[in-house]
Amino acid sequence: MTRAITVKDIQLFPIAMPFVERLRTSFGEEPFKTAIIVALHTDEGITGWGECAAEIHPGYSYETMGTAMHVLSEFLAPALLGKKITDALEVPALISSTRGHPLAKHAIEAAVWDALAKVNDQTLAQAFAAHLPAGHTSRGYANVGVSIGIKPTVEDTIAIIRQRVNEGYGRIKLKIQPGWDVELARGVRQAFPDILLMLDANSAYTLADAEHLKQLDAFNLLMLEQPLGHDDIYEHSKLQPQMSTRICLDESILSADDTRMALELGACKIINLKPARVSGYAESLEIYKVCVEHDTPLWIGGLMETGIGRAANVAFASLPGVTLPCDISATSRYFTQDLSEPPFELQPGSRLNVPSGLGIGVEVIEERVHAAAKLWHEQYPYQQS
Ligand code: MG
């Protein structure tokens, strides 16, 4: 018998946290991780936690901290207040009058998943598995790898890979862009002939670069991620047949329908699923099922979540249909102190264990959420009206 929750109150905490290493993207350098932490309180006094992975700049996603605060506070939270919810799969319909804004929707849905799992004495991994065919139960751990940004030289990149391999990471992902691709792959492959190596282009190329990209076939890559347009599926379907390297789609996949279209058009052979990008775990479960039906390798990407979002993603990544190493690294790669305890630590075999507690399974330290909210207000006063 499933127990329902009734949503009594929803608090939103915009936060900033110092990164261990400054993050360099094509938009510049951000010294702080930003997010909106959602605390959903039930009438029985249970709190469910969610995390919105919005950034300052509308780069990876069109959503920003400003748009996500607006959409969460004006539309999504009011749509859930006072509602009795028996299954987190009900949430997408409750908020369907708001179009788009997947990062904001994911955050509020995640808080419902956490609260419902807690009142039903389940871990989040068990709650997810309950919505999948028999046999799709959690392994108890996620296979993970590490992502490395663009560095000044191939030698610098090799040095960082050596460090990460020594830490125990079993899969290396390198960001590429025109002028930083074939020679990088050649140099890294020479230094590490056997490592699981993949490249992520974040939409830096066009179909006119097909001949150039085909040179990457020489380096036994696990995959090439999102070479063409961020919203393209069709041109990827023209590129994939020309390459022996498997293409993985990330940015282009916003739904289970997109996944089916991409696989049936032959636009890719691997899916990177970021639950935040596809508006939550309900849609993520549908994408998971499409990948299982198509016998397609699947892995979980990351948006440098705090422990709150990371815990939920590790739980999803522990499901057996997630067949490739995920972009979820240990806490120490990102933060000196996280919002939750215990921190995620890399285990032998390049794994992260699923936390054992109910719901997201980690304990949210509320003083740290308040401190991170204070830092947000100090660092980004221009973001606030
Ligand atoms: Mg990517």
Side-chain angles (χ1 to χ4, degrees), residues 60 173 175 200 202 225-226 250-251 272 274 299:
Y60 176 82
K173 163 163 146 178
K175 296 280 186 181
D200 184 1
N202 287 110
E225 192 178 339
Q226 198 75 32
D250 170 359
E251 285 91 332
N272 167 355
K274 289 177 180 153
W299 56 283

Side-chain angles (χ1 to χ4, degrees), residues 123 353-362:
T123 66
N353 288 334
V354 178
S356 54
L358 300 179
I360 59 172
V362 291

Side-chain angles (χ1 to χ4, degrees), residues 26 73 86 130 189 213 221 254 257 274 310 334 342 368 370:
S26 46
S73 60
T86 310
R189 200 33 113 197
L213 291 170
L221 301 172
L254 302 178
D257 285 345
K274 289 177 180 153
R310 186 176 316 263
Y334 308 93
R368 295 187 195 166
H370 293 137

Side-chain angles (χ1 to χ4, degrees), residues 138-248:
S138 170
R139 289 178 289 238
Y141 62 85
N143 293 310
V144 302
V146 71
S147 179
I148 296 173
I150 292 167
K151 301 292 169 193
T153 66
V154 174
E155 290 67 36
D156 291 338
T157 309
I158 289 171
I160 297 210
I161 294 173
R162 191 154 283 131
Q163 194 181 331
R164 298 290 169 250
V165 169
N166 289 340
E167 287 167 7
Y169 288 104
R171 188 229 64 192
I172 300 293
K173 163 163 146 178
L174 303 177
K175 296 280 186 181
I176 60 165
Q177 64 186 21
W180 182 252
D181 46 30
V182 175
E183 291 317 307
L184 171 73
R186 192 190 316 279
V188 169
R189 200 33 113 197
Q190 271 168 7
F192 302 95
D194 302 319
I195 198 174
L196 273 183
L197 178 66
M198 60 177 286
L199 306 179
D200 184 1
N202 287 110
S203 302
Y205 299 86
T206 71
L207 195 52
D209 298 313
E211 286 305 315
H212 179 74
L213 291 170
K214 281 157 73 173
Q215 297 177 74
L216 297 172
D217 285 341
F219 307 118
N220 186 28
L221 301 172
L222 184 61
M223 72 191 83
L224 170 62
E225 192 178 339
Q226 198 75 32
L228 309 182
H230 70 91
D231 54 359
D232 171 77
I233 290 177
Y234 179 75
E235 291 201 336
H236 283 98
S237 80
K238 298 293 170 193
L239 178 61
Q240 176 67 91
Q242 301 184 53
M243 297 190 72
S244 61
T245 304
R246 292 179 293 180
I247 290 174
C248 169

